Amino acid sequence: AQSVTQLGSHVSVSEGALVLLRCNYSSSVPPYLFWYVQYPNQGLQLLLKYTTGATLVKGINGFEAEFKKSETSFHLTKPSAHMSDAAEYFCAVEAGTALIFGKGTTLSVSS
Amino acid sequence: NAGVTQTPKFRILKIGQSMTLQCAQDMNHNYMYWYRQDPGMGLKLIYYSVGAGITDKGEVPNGYNVSRSTTEDFPLRLELAAPSQTSVYFCASSLGEASQHFGDGTRLSIL
């Protein structure tokens, strides 16, 4: 069965610093992987997804993620954090028809 | 396009009451989903539908019912509200097994 583990429920960075949000997955088949962002009192918005092909995936707002099969990881990065990046981030793996989500990581950005 | 529209945005129910959470999408997506989000737990799939007239249970279906009479609408019904159903409910839709689009959620409190 597929599962997703997000390491760290809360990550704090300074504005301009590197953002690294960790996600490990478990899947018996080649996975489709997703990162979603949720701003306060809003729904989830797709940041990026990996299906097949290039393992480095670029998304919106300057985020990218790298699929590493050997490490079963799909970590999300951004070179320079902005105050507007403060939000909750969810990693998800496709499981048949639906998605299985991690528990989320709250990103705080300080000036 | 409105995307995925959920109503109401907020609701307070008494234990034992019933209600229907409405979800409508205007993207002609065949797949629709209902999730609940609890603090620190990520999103859990309640029910999903792959087309009009077809529904199936997700991970946490107990206490809920759904119907899908049209492509556009996918209401979620709570028959006998219980405090454990206090949560934020998200509806989502997708074209086949592509990326899911989320509504802004319904915040439900049961007292």
Side-chain angles (χ1 to χ4, degrees):
Chain A
Q2 288 92 336
S3 65
V4 173
T5 302
Q6 291 184 241
L7 301 175
S9 59
H10 200 145
V11 171
S12 297
V13 300
S14 299
E15 194 171 21
L18 171 71
V19 175
L20 171 60
L21 304 182
R22 300 177 187 272
C23 173
N24 287 89
Y25 68 91
S26 169
S27 176
S28 57
V29 297
Y32 285 8
L33 294 160
F34 304 79
W35 276 99
Y36 282 86
V37 61
Q38 184 181 33
Y39 299 102
N41 298 315
Q42 294 186 24
L44 278 70
Q45 178 183 358
L46 180 67
L47 272 179
L48 51 79
K49 64 180 179 182
Y50 169 79
T51 54
T52 58
T55 56
L56 183 62
V57 182
K58 295 188 183 299
I60 62 171
N61 302 338
F63 284 93
E64 61 183 35
E66 186 171 10
F67 170 63
K68 292 188 176 181
K69 185 178 179 180
S70 61
E71 299 177 7
T72 61
S73 69
F74 191 55
H75 301 331
L76 182 71
T77 60
K78 181 173 181 178
S80 176
H82 192 272
M83 297 293 287
S84 61
D85 295 327
E88 189 161 19
Y89 292 81
F90 292 94
C91 182
V93 62
E94 189 174 72
T97 311
L99 296 176
I100 292 178
F101 286 87
K103 293 184 178 181
T105 298
T106 299
L107 175 66
S108 299
V109 182
S110 58
S111 58
Chain B
N1 286 343
V4 178
T5 302
Q6 291 185 237
T7 57
K9 294 189 183 302
F10 305 94
R11 184 73 183 268
I12 298 174
L13 281 183
K14 293 182 179 179
I15 295 171
Q17 286 185 319
S18 62
M19 79 162 293
T20 299
L21 282 66
Q22 301 292 344
C23 175
Q25 54 91 10
D26 61 359
M27 297 173 283
N28 203 30
H29 286 173
N30 50 342
Y31 287 24
M32 296 187 75
Y33 313 82
W34 274 106
Y35 294 90
R36 60 177 287 173
Q37 182 182 28
D38 300 299
M41 299 301 294
L43 281 77
K44 302 287 187 183
L45 182 66
I46 305 171
Y47 271 95
Y48 67 97
S49 168
V50 299
I54 306 170
T55 63
D56 209 346
K57 295 178 180 179
E59 185 180 357
V60 290
N62 291 345
Y64 306 96
N65 280 299
V66 293
S67 60
R68 184 95 181 271
S69 56
T70 67
T71 299
E72 294 77 19
D73 300 298
F74 190 41
L76 176 72
R77 179 131 181 108
L78 283 69
E79 290 293 349
L80 289 171
S84 61
Q85 293 177 306
T86 293
S87 189
V88 182
Y89 292 85
F90 287 100
C91 180
S93 71
S94 66
L95 192 61
E97 294 179 358
S99 309
Q100 294 182 20
H101 297 251
F102 285 79
D104 286 339
T106 293
R107 286 151 184 79
L108 180 63
S109 294
I110 298 166
L111 307 174

